[in-house]
Amino acid sequence: MEGQPEGNDFTLFSIVVGLADTEYGYASIKEMESISVDVGHNLPKIPILQDKSFKPCPIGNIPDERLQSFLSDIYDREEV
């Protein structure tokens, strides 16, 4: 969602739509580059990759059902 340089790294405030959970918080680019997900069943680990085709836009315009559901849950809770 936003970020800033910190030394030789870049810290992001982001929402991660993962294999099991969706969460938000701070993460560094170097930290994310070092992560790979073990999906089991003798398959190779899956690295986290940047979507090079992504174009900045309002978050509500990102066509991802899990992301939009997560955002709806947050906004619904804030209104209560």
Side-chain angles (χ1 to χ4, degrees):
M1 293 181 13
E2 61 181 49
Q4 66 184 32
E6 293 198 13
N8 64 349
D9 199 0
F10 202 86
T11 299
L12 302 169
F13 182 76
S14 56
I15 296 174
V16 176
V17 178
L19 294 173
D21 295 317
T22 300
E23 57 187 61
Y24 61 94
Y26 291 94
S28 78
I29 295 289
K30 288 188 178 202
E31 177 185 15
M32 287 192 287
E33 288 174 340
S34 72
I35 296 171
S36 58
V37 179
D38 185 356
V39 293
H41 306 292
N42 297 320
L43 296 171
K45 290 185 175 185
I46 301 171
I48 295 174
L49 301 173
Q50 178 183 2
D51 180 354
K52 303 282 187 183
S53 67
F54 180 78
K55 303 273 189 268
C57 66
I59 196 166
N61 292 352
I62 298 173
D64 183 286
E65 279 186 43
R66 290 176 53 202
L67 172 63
Q68 296 307 323
S69 175
F70 178 77
L71 293 171
S72 291
D73 289 346
I74 289 173
Y75 290 122
D76 288 347
R77 270 190 246 133
E78 287 180 356
E79 293 174 6
V80 174

